């Protein structure tokens, strides 16, 4: 009886497990926990017979003075724990790297003559050759037996996972696949080197090739840890692939359990890629790209929302952003008004008939109208908007907000008449409620749809009111950040009354902001005006944080599944306001930049606080 192997865990595997658990705990959903235990179960079941055979045939052994004693099918209990802790650590690392990834956007429609099937076949062919080589090494009953057994055991599982999820394995970012394999593999190579040098476990002579990756690290051990981590990550990728299919195609899978059964996962993976909805995939890709390019804060926050809710929220953002861009980039006010009229007609058609069945029957008319009146780049943003889950009033109010933008001089090129519709704080509140409070309300409607029993009906109106107020707060942050950006568009959202208190008209404020943004260094006069705008920006931020403080308590009433993610969405944006408060000048573009590491830290704290 000994404790050497147990000490390996105490020193090298348990500390990383604890550290990763602390880091990942706020991010973990029930589905993530289910996924990890699902993988651990498969790892233990798949590895136990193979490991037991190696020990019983004396290919490797454990001196009796290095193990505690209890065994499972001849396998020391420390070794069984190794199967568990390796899978656990690698799984957590994978989850940390892949959490921001919007997996539905990596699905791919595959036609019969698609070249991707040749990629699948090429991978299968390579793995078949590896399997054949493993069998030859084993059958020779010489020094390659151990390597042969490793290849014969691992390759069939890798081939199965490759065949089911090769598109995801190839298509996902390298941070989702390569890093979760490489980091634990290299770490375990180092741990294994130390264990072999100490004699904690022994590979018997005559069954190994005698090749070392570096001193004391047998090549067989290096390959073993590499392949086991490949298996774990490929298994997690296949799981995420299946979940993406389940949640992306309601036509094939109308209802999906929060914790899909193994049979459901298999059915999703076996659904032929040519049966995917190509337009749906294209729309999800566009929506994710639009979110990633236009709002890094909300893109990061979206990663912690549950799957089908996340999909709906990403599509909702895509619609709002596409609509806003069409109006903002119009070359004339007449063109901008045409877009608003067309968007209004689209909403009219979408709510022409009540009920899902009626709307589905009306989809042909809606699709025809969209195809005839909107650029192709926004078709999916409109057609995939889940209007059957949303009320129409917030959408109409959003369009009214766009109409307010048209009243600025920047939208009336060639017209000397200057109009500034934001005269008082009440005007700004109204505008902010239309362009941002409405979006918050729509988000909450989606939450209520996906979690109908989690939010009491009596509490909904209070929560919705707080949500609209929070939307106004975020819009104030947006306005404070974009002072010079808006000025270049001849727009100033600071109330005229506030400007008057600083001795400026709206027109003068726009001119000064444009001058400030174009100068790399401030002279004395610029510094004077900059101080005025610092005070105005401070006033905007003060109002934003007052509204934020008043409404953030409503988050605690939300369903537990979305409470943390909603905190992340809000706090990620409020961090921009905190960054603005710390800045001493407007900067070259009037925007405050929040580093990625800061945004991640803010998200982690928000989730951690939500669990308390």
């Amino acid at each position: 009886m000994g404790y050497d192997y147990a000490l390996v865990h105490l020193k090298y595997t348990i500390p990383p497990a604890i550290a990763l658990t602390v880091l990942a705990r706020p991010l973990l959903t029930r589905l993530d926990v289910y996924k990890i235990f699902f993988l651990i179960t498969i790892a233990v079941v798949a590895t136990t017979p193979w490991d037991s055979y190696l020990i019983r045939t004396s290919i490797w052994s454990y001196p009796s003075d290095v193990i505690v004693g209890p065994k499972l099918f001849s396998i020391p209990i420390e070794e069984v724990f190794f199967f568990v802790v390796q899978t656990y650590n690698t799984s957590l690392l994978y989850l940390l790297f892949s959490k921001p990834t919007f997996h539905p956007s990596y699905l791919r429609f595959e036609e019969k003559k698609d070249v991707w099937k040749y990629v699948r076949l090429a991978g299968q062919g390579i793995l078949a050759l590896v399997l054949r080589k493993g069998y030859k090494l084993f059958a020779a009953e010489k020094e390659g037996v151990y390597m042969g057994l490793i290849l014969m055991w691992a390759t069939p599982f890798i081939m199965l996972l490759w065949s089911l999820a090769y598109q995801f394995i190839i298509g996902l970012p390298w941070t989702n696949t390569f890093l979760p394999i490489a980091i634990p593999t290299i770490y375990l190579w180092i741990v294994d080197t130390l264990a072999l040098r100490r004699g904690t476990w022994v590979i018997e002579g005559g069954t190994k090739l005698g090749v070392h990756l570096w001193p004391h690290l047998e090549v067989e051990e290096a390959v073993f840890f590499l392949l086991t981590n490949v298996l774990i990550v490929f298994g997690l990728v296949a799981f995420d692939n299946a979940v993406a299919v389940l949640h992306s195609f309601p036509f094939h899978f109308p209802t999906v359990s929060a914790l899909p059964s193994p049979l459901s996962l298999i059915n999703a993976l076996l659904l032929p890629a040519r049966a995917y909805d190509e337009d749906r995939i294209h729309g999800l890709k566009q929506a994710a790209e639009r979110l990633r390019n236009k709002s890094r804060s909300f893109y990061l926050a979206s990663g912690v929302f549950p799957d089908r809710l996340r999909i709906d929220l990403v599509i909702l953002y895509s619609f709002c952003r596409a609509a806003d861009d069409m109006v903002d980039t119009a070359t004339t006010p007449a063109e901008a008004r045409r877009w608003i009229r067309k968007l209004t007609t689209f909403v009219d058609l979408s709510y022409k008939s009540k009920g899902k069945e009626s709307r589905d029957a009306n989809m042909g008319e809606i699709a025809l109208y969209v195809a005839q009146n909107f650029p192709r780049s926004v078709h999916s943003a409109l057609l995939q908007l889940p209007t059957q889950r949303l009320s129409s009033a917030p959408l109409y109010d959003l369009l009214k907000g766009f109409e307010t933008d048209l009243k600025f001089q920047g939208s009336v090129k060639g017209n000397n008449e200057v109009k500034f519709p934001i005269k008082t704080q009440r005007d700004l509140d109204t505008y902010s409620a239309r362009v941002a409070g409405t979006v918050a309300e729509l988000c909450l409607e989606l939450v209520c749809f996906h979690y109908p029993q989690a939010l009491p009906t009596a509490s909904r109106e209070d929560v919705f009111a707080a949500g609209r107020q929070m939307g106004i707060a975020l819009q104030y942050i947006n306005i404070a950040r974009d002072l010079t950006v808006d000025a270049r568009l001849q727009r100033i959202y600071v109330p005229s009354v506030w400007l008057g208190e600083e001795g400026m008209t709206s027109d003068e404020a726009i001119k000064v902001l444009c001058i400030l943004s174009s100068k790399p260094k401030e002279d004395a006069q610029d510094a004077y005006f900059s101080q005025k705008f610092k005070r105005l920006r401070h006033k905007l931020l003060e109002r934003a944080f007052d509204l934020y403080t008043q409404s953030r308590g409503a988050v605690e009433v939300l369903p537990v599944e979305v409470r943390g993610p909603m905190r992340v969405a809000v706090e990620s944006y409020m961090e921009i306001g905190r960054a603005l408060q710390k800045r001493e000048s407007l900067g070259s573009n009037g925007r405050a930049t929040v580093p990625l590491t800061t945004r991640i830290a803010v998200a982690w704290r928000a989730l951690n606080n939500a669990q308390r």
Side-chain angles (χ1 to χ4, degrees):
M1 178 177 176
Y3 298 98
D4 278 13
Y5 199 166
L7 287 173
V8 169
H9 288 306
L10 287 173
K11 290 181 179 179
Y12 302 115
T13 64
I14 294 177
I18 294 172
L20 288 169
T21 300
V22 171
L23 279 174
R25 186 185 69 88
L27 300 169
L28 293 180
T29 63
R30 287 199 302 149
L31 182 62
D32 291 330
V33 175
Y34 172 65
K35 186 190 309 182
I36 291 170
F37 281 99
F38 185 83
L39 262 292
I40 288 174
T41 301
I42 292 176
V44 172
V45 171
T47 309
T48 297
W50 177 80
D51 203 348
S52 178
Y53 174 81
L54 291 176
I55 293 171
R56 286 184 288 104
T57 54
S58 300
I59 291 175
W60 70 24
S61 62
Y62 300 89
S64 58
D65 60 347
V66 302
I67 59 176
V68 175
K71 295 181 180 181
L72 176 68
F73 301 111
S74 302
I75 306 172
I77 198 68
E78 297 94 331
E79 179 77 354
V80 176
F81 180 74
F82 203 106
F83 306 157
V84 174
V85 76
Q86 180 188 355
T87 306
Y88 180 77
N89 287 344
T90 301
S91 296
L92 285 181
L93 199 62
Y94 170 85
L95 288 169
L96 286 169
F97 282 121
S98 66
K99 184 59 71 171
T101 304
F102 186 58
H103 289 106
S105 66
Y106 290 92
L107 294 169
R108 179 185 172 88
F109 176 78
E110 187 175 297
E111 300 177 1
K112 288 185 178 180
K113 296 182 179 180
D114 202 309
V115 295
W116 275 69
K117 70 177 182 180
Y118 298 110
V119 174
R120 183 186 72 238
L121 291 172
Q124 290 171 336
I126 292 171
L127 290 168
L129 291 174
V130 173
L131 181 60
R132 182 169 177 267
K133 178 64 175 178
Y135 175 75
K136 284 187 173 183
L137 289 171
F138 172 73
E141 297 184 353
K142 294 181 180 179
E143 289 80 5
V145 169
Y146 182 25
M147 179 65 82
L149 284 168
I150 292 172
L151 297 179
M152 289 173 62
W153 166 73
T155 305
F157 290 111
I158 295 175
M159 185 181 293
L160 174 64
L161 293 169
W162 170 264
S163 300
L164 293 172
Y166 70 97
Q167 288 188 1
F168 256 43
I169 292 170
I170 295 173
L172 286 177
W174 66 277
T175 52
N176 288 199
T177 50
F178 175 76
L179 283 183
I181 292 172
I183 293 173
T185 296
I186 294 171
Y187 180 76
L188 290 175
W189 283 352
I190 296 170
V191 173
D192 193 60
T193 301
L194 298 173
L196 286 170
R197 191 165 59 191
R198 287 174 55 87
T200 305
W201 49 77
V202 178
I203 304 175
E204 300 298 336
T207 63
K208 58 185 178 180
L209 295 170
V211 177
H212 294 77
L213 191 64
W214 59 59
H216 298 288
L217 179 61
E218 307 277 357
V219 68
E220 290 88 350
E221 290 288 274
V223 170
F224 170 77
F225 286 117
L226 172 62
L227 293 183
T228 50
N229 282 312
V230 167
L231 281 168
I232 295 166
V233 172
F234 278 21
L236 292 164
V237 169
F239 193 107
D240 284 339
N241 191 347
V243 170
V245 172
L246 289 172
H247 289 296
S248 299
F249 306 122
F251 175 79
H252 293 292
F253 306 98
T255 59
V256 179
S257 170
L259 303 177
S261 67
L263 182 60
S264 297
L265 296 170
I266 292 170
N267 286 338
L269 288 172
L270 292 178
L271 180 70
R274 60 179 177 274
Y276 293 173
D277 184 337
E278 186 175 12
D279 290 335
R280 174 73 166 172
I281 294 173
H282 177 70
L284 293 175
K285 288 179 186 291
Q286 276 195 336
E289 192 65 24
R290 193 170 277 128
L291 177 58
R292 182 166 43 240
N293 290 338
K294 298 292 187 176
S295 179
R296 294 178 299 172
S297 296
F298 284 150
Y299 181 77
L300 177 66
S302 76
V304 289
F305 279 95
D307 293 278
R308 277 202 171 170
L309 175 58
R310 183 187 186 186
I311 289 173
D312 279 350
L313 290 173
V314 170
I315 292 173
L316 172 62
Y317 177 90
S318 180
F319 167 81
C320 295
R321 175 49 61 188
D324 188 41
D325 286 347
M326 281 189 290
V327 175
D328 270 353
T329 58
T331 55
T332 65
E335 181 188 354
R337 291 189 178 90
R338 280 198 298 272
W339 286 128
I340 293 176
R341 285 197 298 271
K342 289 179 179 181
L343 287 166
T344 302
T345 302
F346 165 76
V347 177
D348 291 341
L349 289 172
S350 297
Y351 292 92
K352 181 178 180 180
S353 302
K354 295 183 178 180
K356 181 180 184 302
E357 293 77 11
S358 300
R359 184 183 182 279
D360 288 345
N362 199 37
M363 275 305 295
E365 184 181 359
I366 296 171
L368 180 62
Y369 180 80
V370 169
Q372 292 177 340
N373 291 276
F374 293 94
R376 185 170 180 79
S377 61
V378 302
H379 285 184
S380 61
L382 274 66
L383 294 175
Q384 293 192 19
L385 181 68
T387 51
Q388 69 274 24
R389 303 169 194 173
L390 303 168
S391 58
S392 60
L395 293 172
Y396 286 118
D397 282 345
L398 178 66
L399 297 178
K400 288 180 182 177
F402 294 162
E403 290 173 355
T404 300
D405 291 330
L406 297 184
K407 295 178 181 179
F408 285 98
Q409 184 187 21
S411 298
V412 192
K413 292 183 179 179
N415 192 334
N416 292 325
E417 183 183 0
V418 180
K419 295 182 179 179
F420 297 103
I422 310 298
K423 295 179 172 55
T424 66
Q425 179 179 299
R426 185 174 180 178
D427 292 335
L428 184 53
D429 284 351
T430 300
Y431 170 75
S432 299
R434 286 175 175 171
V435 298
T438 54
V439 178
E441 184 176 351
L442 292 167
C443 290
L444 289 172
E445 287 186 354
L446 291 174
V447 170
C448 289
F449 174 84
H450 288 282
Y451 299 94
Q453 307 303 323
L455 189 62
T457 304
S459 304
R460 288 192 181 185
E461 185 51 45
D462 290 339
V463 172
F464 274 55
R468 289 189 288 269
Q469 195 171 36
M470 185 66 80
I472 295 172
L474 300 188
Q475 183 62 21
Y476 267 77
I477 296 288
N478 193 53
I479 291 168
R481 181 193 63 184
D482 291 345
L483 283 174
T484 55
V485 175
D486 292 329
R488 295 189 197 110
L489 297 173
Q490 297 300 299
R491 297 177 185 178
I492 182 79
Y493 292 94
V494 178
S496 301
V497 172
W498 292 8
L499 292 170
E501 292 171 357
E502 293 292 342
M504 288 185 290
T505 65
S506 298
D507 195 26
E508 289 170 344
I510 288 176
K511 291 177 181 177
V512 172
L513 282 168
C514 289
I515 293 171
L516 285 173
S517 67
S518 65
K519 289 195 174 186
K521 293 183 180 180
E522 298 176 345
D523 57 26
Q525 185 179 8
D526 292 336
Y528 169 72
F529 280 111
S530 184
Q531 288 300 320
K532 289 188 174 186
F533 286 111
K534 284 179 185 178
R535 289 193 292 271
L536 290 168
R537 192 171 67 237
H538 174 76
K539 204 166 184 176
L540 289 167
L541 295 174
E542 187 176 42
R543 173 69 173 157
F545 279 96
D546 283 346
L547 293 170
Y548 159 78
T549 302
Q550 294 169 23
S551 55
R552 65 179 177 180
V555 173
E556 304 309 320
V557 185
L558 294 175
V560 65
E561 293 87 351
V562 299
R563 192 178 304 155
M566 199 64 77
R567 275 183 177 272
V568 174
V570 170
E571 294 300 330
S572 296
Y573 217 78
M574 294 307 296
E575 189 63 21
I576 297 173
R578 297 183 186 101
L580 281 168
Q581 288 178 323
K582 296 174 183 177
R583 289 172 66 96
E584 295 184 355
S585 64
L586 288 171
S588 60
N589 63 359
R591 287 178 179 264
T593 301
V594 179
L596 176 61
T597 52
T598 302
R599 282 183 276 128
I600 292 173
V602 167
W604 187 87
R605 285 198 302 270
L607 288 169
N608 204 40
N609 291 337
Q611 294 185 354
R612 292 177 181 173

